[in-house]
Amino acid sequence: MKGKRAKTPGIGKARIRRILVPVDFSEHSRKALQYAVDLGLVFDAEIVLVFVVEMVGYPSDLGFGQAPIPAIERELTERGKSELNRLAEEYVGGKLVVRLHVPAGRPFIEIIRAAKDLEADLIIIATHGHTGMEHILFGSTAEKVVRKAPCPVLVVR
């Protein structure tokens, strides 16, 4: 069949409308964001930038564990939004729709929650490549997201 291509089952059926990109403002996460923008342009997808504010606490004298410091958390949230806006302008520049999401909590939990709640079709996340004791003690946010995500995950090393 010269000039005609045989149809391959499943090819051309993928639809990516929303790409979630967790950002910690490192060079690694900037690289993941660039991948997201490139794919977003191909699929005309919305980009959701996520920065998770990790809970800040101070020791309590009453033996109830740590107590959060709301003022610091609010400040970190506002600074996170401001930095995400700056990244969106620098990397996306109005070529795609960008949404910002700045929850507080444990990063892998909030990333997974955001992917579910915002109906992400793809997560593009950077890994720092931690090894040895650091990986044993803290694990990898990217690894936890891959295991529990409700959608496909592209890991950028």
Side-chain angles (χ1 to χ4, degrees):
M1 294 177 49
K2 203 169 198 170
K4 289 193 177 191
R5 298 172 90 188
K7 280 197 160 200
T8 305
I11 299 294
K13 293 183 180 181
R15 178 70 182 119
I16 299 174
R17 298 174 316 275
R18 187 167 294 118
I19 302 171
L20 189 133
V21 186
V23 175
D24 65 2
F25 305 111
S26 67
E27 280 305 311
H28 300 284
S29 65
R30 290 170 185 267
K31 189 174 177 182
L33 175 55
Q34 187 59 61
Y35 272 89
V37 171
D38 292 347
L39 272 176
L41 289 169
V42 170
F43 287 96
D44 192 29
E46 174 184 51
I47 303 290
V48 179
L49 297 178
V50 177
F51 171 70
V52 180
V53 176
E54 292 194 60
M55 299 301 226
V56 176
Y58 64 90
S60 170
D61 290 338
L62 303 175
F64 294 116
Q66 291 189 335
I69 305 174
I72 293 174
E73 203 171 292
R74 277 192 302 275
E75 172 67 20
L76 290 173
T77 298
E78 290 308 312
R79 286 179 60 194
K81 286 178 184 174
S82 175
E83 286 298 308
L84 288 180
N85 271 318
R86 192 179 61 69
L87 274 182
E89 183 58 39
E90 180 181 342
Y91 283 82
V92 184
K95 294 180 267 187
L96 297 167
V97 173
V98 177
R99 187 187 317 187
L100 309 180
H101 185 64
V102 185
R106 294 186 64 193
F108 83 93
I109 291 171
E110 296 305 323
I111 292 165
I112 292 164
R113 181 176 292 141
K116 288 177 185 171
D117 293 349
L118 302 172
E119 299 177 347
D121 299 300
L122 176 67
I123 299 170
I124 299 181
I125 189 169
T127 181
H128 293 265
H130 295 307
T131 58
M133 189 56 73
E134 186 176 42
H135 183 76
I136 291 168
L137 291 175
F138 301 112
S140 161
T141 297
E143 181 181 342
K144 291 172 187 170
V145 168
V146 166
R147 280 191 273 124
K148 298 183 182 274
C151 62
V153 180
L154 171 62
V155 179
V156 178
R157 183 160 168 75

